Amino acid sequence: MAVTWNPLDKASDITLSNGNLTASRGSGGGTYGIRANASQSSGKWYYEVVIESPAVYYHGFGWHLLTTPANLSGGVFLPYSNTSGTGWFTNYDLYRFEASVDGTYGVYSYEVGTVLITAIDLDNKKVWFGKNGGWFGNRTWPDATANPATGVNPGCSWTGSYTVAPFAGIRASGSLTARFL
């Protein structure tokens, strides 16, 4: 089965196209969410999203716990609150599984065409986030030492075992295209 955005696990305000790889929102306030149709509980995983529109920094992406209900139907998508997931949201905060804000990286804007990247190692309990091929380390950008292939300098780590799925939070009039590898 090919990994795509899940048409059954999304806010009603989100429309899918491009073989369920592009998720778009109409106008209106808030951030609305969507999860992928595949989940993982072990191993190493990577995916990326391309910012299609708008050129603002309110989109989010990351990994969402399947055991935690997501607010996919309206208002703010909550993959980042306390124990529900880990992700890069509003362009500068990294949230993790077992705590709320883990780090503030400063405002690193992204624009149309920016590629946001994430890798997760569920066996060693580490996650990395980056953009355009560069990785964020622990509160630094860019960080040449951050490397998910070698397990060095993750954005955050945790204890416990989880099953997660890729997610995205999309702002009004926004659009993201996923590349699930």
Side-chain angles (χ1 to χ4, degrees):
M1 170 178 74
V3 179
T4 67
W5 292 125
N6 188 344
L8 303 176
D9 196 4
K10 68 174 187 67
S12 60
D13 193 24
I14 292 177
T15 58
L16 295 173
S17 60
N18 188 27
N20 290 341
L21 294 174
T22 300
S24 303
R25 268 209 57 222
S27 61
T31 302
Y32 291 69
I34 188 166
R35 283 190 281 214
N37 65 353
S39 60
Q40 301 82 25
S41 58
S42 64
K44 296 179 180 182
W45 303 92
Y46 172 91
Y47 83 98
E48 51 194 45
V49 295
V50 179
I51 304 297
E52 304 291 348
S53 67
V56 297
Y57 53 85
Y58 290 106
H59 296 309
F61 79 114
W63 306 90
H64 193 275
L65 301 181
L66 291 187
T67 56
T68 304
N71 176 8
L72 297 173
S73 61
V76 176
F77 180 47
L78 299 172
Y80 53 86
S81 63
N82 287 342
T83 58
S84 61
T86 186
W88 183 25
F89 217 80
T90 66
N91 202 37
Y92 58 89
D93 287 338
L94 174 67
Y95 298 85
R96 65 180 182 175
F97 291 117
E98 296 173 327
S100 49
V101 175
D102 183 48
T104 299
Y105 293 89
V107 177
Y108 304 104
S109 64
Y110 48 84
E111 56 199 29
V112 172
T114 297
V115 180
L116 304 176
I117 57 178
T118 182
I120 192 167
D121 181 340
L122 290 161
D123 299 325
N124 293 300
K125 300 168 179 34
K126 298 177 181 180
V127 65
W128 293 259
F129 295 93
K131 71 174 186 175
N132 295 331
W135 294 103
F136 287 91
N138 190 1
R139 296 178 176 82
T140 57
W141 166 258
D143 186 340
T145 66
N147 187 336
T150 60
V152 175
N153 205 11
C156 68
S157 58
W158 65 92
T159 60
S161 297
Y162 301 101
T163 300
V164 298
F167 78 81
I170 304 169
R171 292 292 288 184
S173 303
S175 180
L176 303 171
T177 297
R179 298 177 183 162
F180 297 106
L181 308 173

